[in-house]
Amino acid sequence: MITASLVKELREKTGAGMMDCKKALTECDGNIEKAVDWLREKGIAKAAKKSGRIAAEGLSRAAVEGNTGVIFEVNSETDFVAKNDQFLALLDTIQAALFANKPADMEAALACPCEQGTLEEVITNATATIGEKITLRRFAIAEKADDEFFGAYMHMGGKISVLTVLKGNEDATVAKNMAMQIASMSPIYINRDEIPADVIEHERGVQMNIMKEDPKMAGKPEQMLAKIIEGKISKHFKDQCLMDQEFFLNPDQKVSQFLKENNAEVRSFIRYAVGEGIEKREENFAEEVMSQIKG
């Protein structure tokens, strides 16, 4: 069954019209990823958006101590609570626990000892006193070598956080610029060598199907078509690769050129946007009021 919520999700991913989305889902038996490709192949949608709707509230944080960096996200139900002093103090507690214990996974993180018990108990107590569900959604710990350096940046107080490791010229401005670039342009990979082969093959298949639907391509030599397809694949992944992106402070310059000029190299990066990929529960207050009256 093709539900309204499924159609809505596809519209948000592709920007295509409601009827086109419904048809795509029908043609693809309700499979949303296949429906995205179907719309692209028909020329109705250019591409899926890189991230889902940002819905959940809370804050993320990136911090550095010596050769260790941490980045984590804590979710709350409302933005109001995320600005609460008690919530901010909880972030301090989580940060200290992550640095002190360097847990390997979420289970180990929640078991970290704090002054008030385990980290899980501290979060549970915060949930009880604040009155909203508070969760440590994810975290990562990065270690750097002595000849490497960190770039950390938090946008809007932690709505987006970035932790990146660089090598070469240890310039605080270069490091911050790279972290800001990643925050604003949300790359997925450092360069094209990092893109998995199956991801490239999937995109090649999509582009080949788009070609088949284009009457202008009919009768063109295979070598020419192959070259056009490779060009389209390259263009598709351009904004997903940090090195190929336009530098946000100078659109005439690529990030790779900026780094080369400054004798620096990005070794890794992690970017958290609060709530990405989480579907927020939709509330119909009129229906809620009516149900309470009837009850």
Side-chain angles (χ1 to χ4, degrees):
M1 182 181 174
I2 309 302
T3 63
S5 61
L6 206 57
V7 173
K8 179 174 176 286
E9 185 180 350
L10 185 58
R11 287 190 72 187
E12 288 175 353
K13 278 180 172 285
T14 63
M18 185 175 70
M19 295 310 294
D20 286 325
C21 287
K22 192 172 181 180
K23 186 177 180 183
L25 287 163
T26 302
E27 291 285 334
C28 300
D29 297 321
N31 184 309
I32 200 156
E33 296 305 324
K34 287 182 179 177
V36 169
D37 289 344
W38 189 91
L39 287 167
R40 290 185 61 203
E41 288 163 9
K42 299 296 179 186
I44 298 168
K46 290 181 181 177
K49 290 181 181 176
K50 277 184 279 188
S51 60
R53 181 178 164 203
I54 308 301
E57 303 299 342
L59 288 174
S60 61
R61 184 179 285 185
V64 172
E65 284 186 8
N67 280 358
T68 303
V70 300
I71 184 168
F72 60 95
E73 176 185 351
V74 181
N75 293 134
S76 60
E77 292 179 42
T78 66
D79 187 50
F80 178 77
V81 160
K83 297 169 183 173
N84 177 305
D85 286 342
Q86 192 175 351
F87 185 86
L88 296 174
L90 175 63
L91 263 65
D92 292 338
T93 300
I94 292 170
Q95 178 178 316
L98 293 177
F99 273 124
N101 297 277
K102 299 180 183 177
D105 53 32
M106 185 59 73
E107 185 180 356
L110 294 174
C112 287
C114 305
E115 285 184 17
Q116 306 91 347
T118 66
L119 191 54
E120 185 171 20
E121 289 169 339
V122 171
I123 293 170
T124 300
N125 291 338
T127 295
T129 54
I130 291 173
E132 282 191 17
K133 184 179 180 181
I134 310 293
T135 56
L136 173 60
R137 184 189 177 198
R138 53 182 172 168
F139 75 93
I141 295 172
E143 299 285 354
K144 74 170 187 67
D146 289 337
D147 63 344
E148 296 174 331
F149 55 102
F150 284 117
Y153 173 70
M154 293 187 293
H155 182 65
M156 293 177 64
K159 287 299 179 184
I160 298 173
S161 290
V162 172
L163 181 66
T164 181
V165 177
L166 297 92
K167 188 173 182 177
N169 177 21
E170 189 169 352
D171 186 318
T173 303
V174 172
K176 186 178 180 183
N177 281 343
M178 276 304 96
M180 289 177 74
Q181 172 80 25
I182 293 161
S184 61
M185 302 304 290
S186 58
I188 300 172
Y189 313 101
I190 294 176
N191 54 49
R192 300 194 187 198
D193 293 338
E194 289 190 347
I195 305 173
D198 61 326
V199 173
I200 294 173
E201 280 308 306
H202 175 82
E203 182 59 27
R204 183 173 284 111
V206 169
Q207 293 298 342
M208 285 174 72
N209 287 332
I210 290 172
M211 285 283 194
K212 289 174 187 175
E213 297 285 335
D214 188 349
K216 294 177 185 175
M217 296 294 128
K220 291 202 181 284
E222 280 191 25
Q223 281 188 324
M224 181 185 290
L225 290 175
K227 193 172 181 180
I228 293 171
I229 286 171
E230 291 309 310
K232 287 183 178 292
I233 291 170
S234 181
K235 186 178 180 182
H236 174 79
F237 288 116
K238 180 189 168 205
D239 289 336
Q240 296 183 22
C241 296
L242 177 63
M243 294 301 105
D244 291 336
Q245 289 181 346
E246 294 172 352
F247 182 41
F248 79 109
L249 290 177
N250 179 10
D252 293 328
Q253 186 180 44
K254 281 188 176 183
V255 168
S256 57
Q257 293 170 317
F258 168 77
L259 288 168
K260 188 175 181 181
E261 282 181 7
N262 288 277
N263 299 312
E265 172 191 350
V266 174
R267 305 303 298 269
S268 65
F269 70 82
I270 305 164
R271 179 187 185 275
Y272 285 172
V274 171
E276 60 191 342
I278 296 177
E279 211 36 66
K280 190 175 183 180
R281 182 169 67 91
E282 291 184 21
E283 301 192 21
N284 187 320
F285 292 107
E287 285 182 11
E288 189 178 323
V289 171
M290 287 305 293
S291 67
Q292 288 176 2
I293 292 170
K294 288 174 184 175

